[in-house]
């Protein structure tokens, strides 16, 4: 997976917003104004994803390529190596899980979250 493949997949998720709020090389992806993934365009070796704390811990125990994300709350964020032995399908699955976790748990207010869920979840089921 290269940065263009990653970017294409992330932007295929409904209502995903792309920005560069940290610097000109770090791509940030949001749903409902909340970040669910990011990656560096120049030094692309991992993608940072959000997850349930227990799930993140289990993933890190099973896969050496998944580590706590640097400069992020390590309880909720992991860096997933895209240059290692992880199958691309697993990387995509973790990104999708991050997208759904972020939508369900961090988008506020509740009415906005429910509105986005009504539009997005049927589309995700078709993907």
């Amino acid at each position: 997976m290269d940065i263009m493949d990653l970017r294409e997949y992330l932007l295929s998720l409904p209502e995903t917003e792309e920005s560069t709020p940290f610097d000109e090389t770090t791509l940030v992806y949001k749903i409902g104004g909340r970040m669910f993934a990011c990656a560096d365009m120049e030094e692309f070796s991992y993608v940072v994803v959000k997850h349930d704390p227990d799930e993140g811990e289990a993933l890190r125990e099973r896969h050496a390529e998944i580590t706590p994300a640097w400069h992020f709350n390590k309880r909720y964020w992991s860096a997933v190596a895209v240059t290692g032995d992880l199958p691309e399908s697993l990387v995509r699955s973790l990104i999708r899980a991050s997208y759904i976790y972020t939508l369900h748990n961090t988008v506020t207010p509740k009415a906005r979250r429910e509105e986005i869920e009504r539009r997005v979840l049927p589309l995700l089921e078709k993907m």
Side-chain angles (χ1 to χ4, degrees):
M1 173 180 276
D2 65 20
I3 189 68
M4 294 309 291
D5 293 333
L6 175 76
R7 185 173 180 267
E8 182 179 325
Y9 179 70
L10 284 159
L11 292 174
S12 76
L13 298 170
E15 298 193 30
T16 295
E17 307 158 11
E18 179 185 64
S19 63
T20 54
F22 303 131
D23 56 41
E24 59 268 349
T25 65
T26 305
L27 294 170
V28 171
Y29 296 89
K30 298 179 181 182
I31 177 69
R34 301 297 183 148
M35 183 169 77
F36 70 91
C38 73
D40 190 280
M41 288 185 286
E42 289 181 351
E43 297 177 26
F44 180 64
S45 58
Y46 63 88
V47 59
V48 175
V49 296
K50 193 169 194 170
H51 49 67
D52 173 83
D54 294 332
E55 183 181 324
E57 190 173 314
L59 285 166
R60 292 179 197 147
E61 288 175 4
R62 282 194 308 263
H63 304 283
E65 298 88 357
I66 301 175
T67 59
W70 195 45
H71 289 307
F72 287 83
N73 183 330
K74 282 135 185 62
R75 191 165 171 211
Y76 293 95
W77 293 91
S78 289
V80 179
V82 294
T83 55
D85 294 332
L86 286 181
E88 187 173 322
S89 60
L90 177 59
V91 174
R92 288 175 184 257
S93 174
L94 293 171
I95 291 168
R96 183 184 175 101
S98 177
Y99 173 92
I100 292 169
Y101 179 83
T102 301
L103 176 57
H104 288 320
N105 294 288
T106 66
V107 173
T108 57
K110 183 179 178 183
R112 181 172 187 214
R113 176 176 58 246
E114 290 172 346
E115 174 190 334
I116 294 170
E117 287 175 341
R118 277 193 301 276
R119 289 192 314 264
V120 165
L121 294 180
L123 298 172
L124 284 178
E125 290 173 6
K126 295 176 184 177
M127 293 178 81

